[in-house]
Amino acid sequence: MDSLTVVRRTLDYETLPVPEPGHGEVLVAIKAVSLNYRDLLVAGGKYPHFASDVVLASDAAGEVAAVGAGVTRFAVGDRVAGNFFQGWFDGDYRREYGRTSLGGAIHGVLATARVFDQRGLVRVPDHLSWEEAATLPCAAVTAWHALSSTKPGDTILILGTGGVAIFGLQFAKLRGARVIITSSSDEKLSKARALGADDTINYRTTPDWEAEVLRLTDGRGADNVLELGGAGTLGKSIASVRPGGQVSVIGVVTGTTETINIAAILPNVRLQGIYVGSVAMFEEMNRAIALHQLRPVIDSVFGFDRAADALAHLESAQHFGKVVIA
């Protein structure tokens, strides 16, 4: 490897020398990258915290190409992925971890190679392709984190059919839960049913979908709502959850500001922000994925020279599952 190529948030390609991994560092030859809605915000200059010349994207899988002195966790040839927060290893989230987010606060992974601290990497399940493994760091870990307390028989409401939503569907079924999922597309809802969704709601033809959730649950409501919309959906998600249940606030696709009915939260409803997860969560999730031989759902794969096309496809919201760059 004589040089590496990176893609900046401006979608400019740049060739750089290959760095030598330092003490405790690992050089990874990146094989595939998956995209998230956040990448659209960073590329468009709309994300609240990013370096102006940041290398785009947070999610990648690759092969260890070289290790620095003191590396004990990995060897050349290992299959790995980087954690979204390079500084969050275990325990509760702390504000300073935000300064270690790939593709935002620090350079990301849309590159042919990257150096990582060994503590910020995890092994990926052997049965996954590079493209499948690349989907895990943000979307999968986020869904796993949101569903950490899910029990068999729980009802999980999931908004949408993007990356986090489909991982949420897969993990909820793995945990023995009932899943209700929403979309504006009957075709996508059909695909969700094929993956195990128990009930589906088209929110365009059923705009009062919170009432439909209550009907489907005999007035009880969902135990946990994966709130992936933001403004315009949060109030409906709160109305959909049972007393004592949880609304897992994850997405801001439709905006970040909304007036909500505080009284609707008083029946012991929990609003829980979910901001991806730690290395420990990632490793726990990977053990479950390997045990159950779960396979991520990939919508489409683009070549490395088509990053702009991949982002445009993501922005179109036509995808079902993950958009990947090989």
Side-chain angles (χ1 to χ4, degrees):
M1 190 186 305
D2 299 323
S3 62
L4 65 87
T5 303
V6 303
V7 182
R8 305 288 184 183
R9 74 165 192 87
T10 54
L11 301 183
D12 293 317
Y13 288 71
E14 184 177 348
T15 300
L16 302 171
V18 178
E20 291 286 335
H23 190 276
E25 292 182 336
V26 175
L27 175 66
V28 177
I30 293 176
K31 303 296 186 179
V33 170
S34 73
L35 297 177
N36 299 290
Y37 181 74
R38 171 180 180 262
D39 300 321
L40 289 172
L41 297 178
V42 172
K46 299 175 183 177
Y47 196 69
H49 306 292
F50 64 89
S52 59
D53 66 340
V54 73
V55 175
L56 200 61
S58 59
D59 294 16
E63 183 176 352
V64 174
V67 298
V71 171
T72 57
R73 284 170 50 82
F74 302 101
V76 172
D78 284 348
R79 289 161 42 90
V80 298
N83 198 54
F84 180 93
F85 291 110
Q86 286 289 284
W88 187 6
F89 309 123
D90 202 354
D92 292 335
Y93 179 79
R94 295 161 58 175
R95 285 190 179 90
E96 56 264 33
Y97 298 158
R99 296 194 290 271
T100 70
S101 64
L102 291 168
I106 64 174
H107 288 311
V109 295
L110 191 46
T112 53
R114 192 192 192 282
V115 169
F116 295 84
D117 187 299
Q118 65 171 335
R119 297 172 297 173
L121 290 172
V122 302
R123 286 181 175 81
V124 296
D126 291 336
H127 72 284
L128 299 182
S129 68
W130 290 120
E131 291 80 9
E132 290 169 330
T135 68
L136 302 178
C138 182
V141 174
T142 297
W144 183 262
H145 184 182
L147 295 168
S148 60
S149 62
T150 300
K151 305 180 298 299
D154 281 357
T155 295
I156 309 300
L157 171 63
I158 301 173
L159 306 191
T161 53
V164 177
I166 298 306
F167 274 119
L169 168 58
Q170 292 178 295
F171 291 151
K173 297 310 295 182
L174 183 151
R175 291 174 179 268
R178 173 192 182 186
V179 173
I180 304 171
I181 196 164
T182 73
S183 173
S184 62
S185 164
D186 287 335
E187 180 183 358
K188 290 181 180 181
L189 291 176
S190 177
K191 291 179 180 179
R193 286 192 293 272
L195 286 172
D198 299 278
D199 297 284
T200 58
I201 303 171
N202 186 315
Y203 64 78
R204 291 208 188 277
T205 58
T206 309
D208 296 329
W209 50 264
E210 69 278 25
E212 179 65 4
V213 172
L214 294 180
R215 187 190 71 79
L216 289 169
T217 57
D218 297 322
R220 183 175 182 270
D223 295 281
N224 191 351
V225 180
L226 270 58
E227 165 51 58
L228 291 154
T233 61
L234 178 57
K236 290 176 175 287
S237 291
I238 293 170
S240 300
V241 75
R242 68 168 174 85
Q246 175 173 308
V247 177
S248 299
V249 182
I250 298 168
V252 293
V253 175
T254 56
T256 58
T257 303
E258 180 178 1
T259 300
I260 62 172
N261 179 8
I262 295 174
I265 305 171
L266 296 182
N268 201 30
V269 170
R270 299 188 305 280
L271 296 183
Q272 176 65 57
I274 303 291
Y275 200 5
V276 199
S278 66
V279 169
M281 290 181 201
F282 200 164
E283 291 175 333
E284 177 188 66
M285 179 194 75
N286 282 347
R287 290 192 292 271
I289 288 174
L291 176 65
H292 294 277
Q293 295 289 287
L294 184 147
R295 305 202 84 103
V297 176
I298 294 176
D299 174 88
S300 49
V301 179
F302 292 79
F304 183 62
D305 61 343
R306 296 184 60 203
D309 293 335
L311 281 166
H313 182 60
L314 182 70
E315 189 171 25
S316 76
Q318 297 302 305
H319 60 290
F320 181 92
K322 293 295 292 180
V323 177
V324 175
I325 296 172

